[in-house]
Amino acid sequence: MEKRLGLVQVHNAGGYGSEFEYDSETERRKRSREDLASKESHRRSTSGVPSKTFVTQEYSKEEWKAQRYHFLALNAYGRHKKLVNDYLLYYPGATKDLFTRSTANDKTDIDVIHENHRFLWSDEDDSNETWAKRLAKKYWDKLFKEYCISDLSRYKENKIALRWRVEKEVVEGVGQFSCGNKRCDETEGLRSWEVNFAYVEHGEKKHALVKLRLCPECSYKLNYHHKRRDVTRQPKKPKKPEKKHKAKKRKSKHKHKHRKHKKHRKHRDESSSSSSSSEDEDERSSGTDSNKGAGSSTDVSESEFWSGPAPVTEDKSRTEEFEDYFQDMFL
């Protein structure tokens, strides 16, 4: 009996425990705690004003749902248009790189001339010309190639830059009536120099003879390493008295020749008059009275002819010749 009572007491008193019962009890307690915590937090949130972060999150969720609904309702073209508009609206700085044209390969006329310019053009260069070369050649044709403009800033290194003159410089007299150095405006004591200009152009070595007009200081810079040829023209001395003396000699020679010519002419006239007189005498002796009158007239005409210039016979006009012809016909 005691044993039986002991078993009952143990069973009723809970002397034997179970792991399943323990686990269920702990879970129940945890659930009750969580329920109490959730109820308290819900009561606190409903009782006070919500925070800004909570409101923004909730609003963004609702706005995203609405935008997604409208976006899915559009067709393909509408979606593309909406995406482009949103990109331009929310990213304004990105349009500069997206819609602006690249100007890396752009060239102006002056850039083309710089690339294809030549100091001297030959006839062989005219064949197979491109548009750029024709443009550079047309610019070169407008340059004036009598004198050059120089840059002597690096004369100590024996490096001199030369170029032809443009129309404005020719009008102002730069390089001819003033110093040809581009950093000098001296107009007195200019000298002309002939320079064998050696240069490299498009990978080829070339040379050309050019003329420079420089002042004494710039001439020293030009001839710093070796002497160039001076081609300055010396001023001519006045030779007025010699010219007068030569003119007098020429006049005297001309007078002497004229006198000789007159003497020769008089001698010829006298010989001709003597011969004419002898012929007249023969005609008078052999001719009749009428022939004598004619001989006298011929003597007068011959004397007048040799005494002065020959009489000028006037030519008849065409109308006068026709009138004389018709008069002979109707007589």
Side-chain angles (χ1 to χ4, degrees):
M1 289 293 293
E2 291 179 359
K3 290 182 181 179
R4 289 180 181 177
L5 290 172
L7 292 170
V8 171
Q9 287 178 357
V10 170
H11 182 72
N12 292 330
Y16 296 98
S18 177
E19 293 181 359
F20 296 102
E21 290 179 357
Y22 179 77
D23 292 337
S24 61
E25 185 69 19
T26 54
E27 288 179 1
R28 185 178 63 78
R29 289 177 182 176
K30 286 181 180 179
R31 286 175 185 173
S32 64
R33 290 177 184 174
E34 290 177 358
D35 292 338
L36 291 173
S38 61
K39 289 179 181 178
E40 289 177 359
S41 62
H42 183 68
R43 287 174 184 173
R44 289 176 185 175
S45 61
T46 54
S47 62
V49 179
S51 62
K52 290 182 179 181
T53 56
F54 178 76
V55 173
T56 53
Q57 289 175 0
E58 293 295 326
Y59 178 77
S60 61
K61 288 179 182 179
E62 295 297 329
E63 186 68 21
W64 177 78
K65 289 178 181 179
Q67 288 182 2
R68 186 173 182 276
Y69 175 77
H70 291 297
F71 185 77
L72 294 174
L74 296 173
N75 56 6
Y77 176 72
R79 292 174 187 174
H80 171 73
K81 190 175 180 180
K82 186 178 184 307
L83 290 173
V84 172
N85 291 334
D86 292 343
Y87 183 80
L88 297 176
L89 181 63
Y90 296 109
Y91 301 96
T95 57
K96 294 181 181 179
D97 300 332
L98 184 64
F99 296 102
T100 55
R101 187 177 61 85
S102 176
T103 59
N105 297 324
D106 291 350
K107 293 180 182 179
T108 59
D109 291 345
I110 193 65
D111 295 332
V112 174
I113 291 171
H114 280 313
E115 290 179 359
N116 298 275
H117 180 70
R118 296 184 182 181
F119 191 75
L120 291 175
W121 288 79
S122 61
D123 297 334
E124 298 176 356
D125 299 330
D126 296 339
S127 59
N128 300 325
E129 283 187 351
T130 60
W131 172 83
K133 289 184 178 180
R134 288 198 301 270
L135 181 64
K137 179 68 164 56
K138 190 175 182 180
Y139 173 79
W140 183 82
D141 291 336
K142 294 182 179 180
L143 299 175
F144 294 84
K145 306 166 190 69
E146 185 179 1
Y147 294 100
C148 284
I149 302 297
S150 62
D151 185 4
L152 302 173
S153 59
R154 302 175 66 181
Y155 70 96
K156 290 186 177 179
E157 301 175 13
N158 199 16
K159 293 181 180 180
I160 299 171
L162 297 177
R163 65 171 176 83
W164 301 117
R165 296 185 300 167
V166 296
E167 184 178 2
K168 183 180 178 182
E169 293 172 339
V170 174
V171 172
E172 294 177 355
V174 179
Q176 184 176 4
F177 302 107
S178 63
C179 184
N181 187 5
K182 70 175 187 178
R183 293 183 177 85
C184 182
D185 299 328
E186 187 66 32
T187 57
E188 295 181 359
L190 300 179
R191 303 193 68 82
S192 299
W193 300 95
E194 190 177 57
V195 181
N196 186 10
F197 180 51
Y199 58 98
V200 178
E201 188 176 68
H202 301 291
E204 297 181 4
K205 291 184 179 180
K206 299 181 180 180
H207 60 88
L209 280 175
V210 296
K211 286 184 180 180
L212 283 174
R213 293 273 291 169
L214 299 174
C215 64
E217 184 177 355
C218 296
S219 298
Y220 169 77
K221 294 179 181 180
L222 178 67
N223 301 309
Y224 185 78
H225 285 277
H226 54 273
K227 183 78 173 178
R228 266 76 176 187
R229 183 184 175 188
D230 189 358
V231 292
T232 307
R233 292 182 180 179
Q234 299 296 332
K236 294 182 179 180
K237 296 180 181 180
K239 297 181 179 179
K240 292 181 180 179
E242 293 181 1
K243 288 182 179 180
K244 288 182 179 179
H245 185 62
K246 287 182 180 179
K248 287 180 180 179
K249 284 183 177 180
R250 287 175 184 173
K251 286 181 180 179
S252 62
K253 287 181 180 179
H254 182 69
K255 287 181 180 179
H256 185 65
K257 287 181 180 179
H258 187 64
R259 288 174 184 173
K260 283 185 177 180
H261 183 67
K262 277 187 175 181
K263 288 180 180 179
H264 183 68
R265 190 173 181 180
K266 284 181 180 180
H267 182 68
R268 187 177 61 183
D269 293 342
E270 289 175 359
S271 62
S272 62
S273 61
S274 62
S275 62
S276 62
S277 61
S278 62
E279 289 176 358
D280 292 338
E281 288 176 356
D282 295 335
E283 287 178 357
R284 284 175 185 174
S285 61
S286 61
T288 60
D289 295 336
S290 59
N291 289 332
K292 287 180 181 178
S296 64
S297 63
T298 54
D299 292 336
V300 175
S301 63
E302 287 177 358
S303 62
E304 289 179 355
F305 176 77
W306 290 110
S307 63
V312 179
T313 57
E314 295 181 357
D315 296 334
K316 292 182 179 181
S317 63
R318 192 171 184 181
T319 55
E320 291 175 355
E321 289 179 356
F322 275 112
E323 286 177 358
D324 295 339
Y325 176 73
F326 287 122
Q327 284 179 2
D328 294 336
M329 285 180 67
F330 292 113
L331 287 174

